[in-house]
Amino acid sequence: MDQKLKLWFTEHQTEDYGITFRVNHVYESEQTEFQRLEMVETDEFGTMLLLDGMVMTTDKDEFVYHEMVAHVPLFTHPNPKHVLVVGGGDGGVIREIMKHPSVEKAVLVDIDGKVIEYSKKYLPNIAGELDNPRVEVIVGDGFMHIAESENEYDVIMVDSTEPVGPAANLFTKGFYAGISRALKADGIFVAQTDNPWFTPELIQTVQRDVKEIFPITKLYTANVPTYPSGMWTFTIGSKQYDPETVAPERFHDIETKYYTPKLHNAAFVLPKFVEDLTK
């Protein structure tokens, strides 16, 4: 008989659907100033960060999301030097940004310092570059940071939770307009925009709003097993550079597990029901 403790956690991704994990250890469980935070150890996905009952990142599959947020815009922009990450306190996107030698400074702004603290402690493989001298970490409101910035960044990445709680403002047209002002004249931004199976209306709204601000607006996808439905979308808005026409010589060798130059282009090839959400 299996004597192992059977403690199961279920993320209810809709009212009628969820994904379940066996948890063998709870490292942290607390209500921070902004959200419920758990750091747990699971059999299937290793260490897992949960915010308000939603899976944010795991040891096993984190590389997919973090690589696709960072490398698509950074290879699209010909010379990204100054980069901003809104959210992303686990440090995964920062880790990927640091693989690009052109980046002179990356600023991370996360509203919840506990996410940063516990990620450094329990997810060192993800958060290990947060102390890099090219990185500035700010515990603060990313919405306000954007509002107070103008013509400052080459690339902005919005690594937020789903549009609930403190992240709700990060899915508004006003926020995207602020991003445009915070970007330089040839700037690019990317944001995670949830999944097409359960939140198609969100993708449609974001696409419509971003298209009114950025002349080049595209949607791309990746497979993230622990996110609702597994199919995850990202919206990219660019003032000048088309992510689908990156010159081959732009790509330089970096160590990745998911992203490749071929995948860069393939990620923009959408299933028809997803492509229809962009029209």
Side-chain angles (χ1 to χ4, degrees):
M1 182 177 178
D2 184 5
Q3 297 297 320
K4 190 169 186 178
L5 175 67
K6 288 183 171 63
L7 174 64
W8 293 85
F9 166 79
T10 299
E11 176 186 337
H12 296 283
Q13 299 180 341
T14 74
E15 290 184 359
D16 304 304
Y17 173 79
I19 184 170
T20 299
F21 310 89
R22 182 158 69 179
V23 175
N24 55 47
H25 189 76
V26 178
Y27 295 115
E28 304 287 348
S29 180
E30 70 175 82
Q31 180 68 39
T32 75
E33 183 181 352
F34 302 98
Q35 55 207 337
R36 186 75 196 177
L37 186 157
E38 273 100 14
M39 193 74 75
V40 302
E41 184 71 22
T42 70
D43 284 316
E44 190 64 43
F45 286 92
T47 306
M48 179 181 293
L49 169 63
L50 309 168
L51 294 178
D52 288 334
M54 297 179 288
V55 178
M56 293 295 107
T57 196
T58 82
D59 276 329
K60 186 173 182 177
D61 69 351
E62 56 85 13
F63 62 89
V64 180
Y65 177 87
H66 295 136
E67 290 179 12
M68 293 301 283
V69 169
H71 300 314
V72 173
L74 289 177
F75 277 117
T76 299
H77 195 289
N79 191 28
K81 294 183 178 181
H82 199 188
V83 179
L84 171 66
V85 179
V86 176
D90 57 66
V93 172
I94 287 290
R95 181 195 64 202
E96 297 304 312
I97 292 170
M98 290 296 98
K99 296 177 181 178
H100 291 258
S102 69
V103 175
E104 297 173 356
K105 183 178 182 181
V107 178
L108 181 137
V109 183
D110 194 298
I111 199 168
D112 196 337
K114 286 292 186 180
V115 173
I116 299 169
E117 176 187 343
Y118 290 146
S119 295
K120 285 183 175 182
K121 184 175 181 180
Y122 298 108
L123 296 167
N125 291 334
I126 301 176
E129 292 293 331
L130 288 175
D131 294 323
N132 189 300
R134 289 191 287 156
V135 176
E136 178 184 0
V137 176
I138 300 172
V139 177
D141 187 336
F143 186 92
M144 293 305 300
H145 184 88
I146 289 287
E148 295 164 359
S149 303
E150 185 172 352
N151 193 35
E152 187 170 349
Y153 296 102
D154 299 302
V155 177
I156 294 175
M157 305 169 188
V158 184
D159 178 9
S160 67
T161 66
E162 284 86 336
V164 295
N169 285 338
L170 306 185
F171 290 82
T172 61
K173 187 177 179 181
F175 182 58
Y176 303 135
I179 287 176
S180 180
R181 290 190 296 270
L183 286 168
K184 296 178 182 178
D186 62 347
I188 299 173
F189 100 98
V190 66
Q192 72 86 7
T193 43
D194 221 291
N195 78 90
W197 291 101
F198 304 140
T199 60
E201 297 85 1
L202 172 66
I203 295 171
Q204 288 177 310
T205 299
V206 172
Q207 284 282 305
R208 182 187 66 240
D209 290 347
V210 175
K211 283 179 179 178
E212 292 183 11
I213 299 167
F214 289 86
I216 300 171
T217 301
K218 301 285 179 75
L219 190 76
Y220 63 97
T221 66
N223 176 260
V224 187
T226 52
Y227 287 179
S229 85
M231 179 183 284
W232 210 248
T233 72
F234 307 84
T235 294
I236 191 167
S238 176
K239 294 184 177 183
Q240 184 173 335
Y241 308 112
D242 188 336
E244 292 191 85
T245 60
V246 179
E249 60 269 20
R250 274 282 305 123
F251 296 102
H252 56 84
D253 289 336
I254 56 173
E255 183 180 347
T256 61
K257 295 181 180 180
Y258 189 89
Y259 177 92
T260 67
K262 287 184 179 179
L263 185 67
H264 177 112
N265 294 307
F268 290 93
V269 180
L270 305 174
K272 187 175 185 302
F273 83 102
V274 181
E275 184 179 10
D276 288 345
L277 300 177
T278 69
K279 297 176 180 177

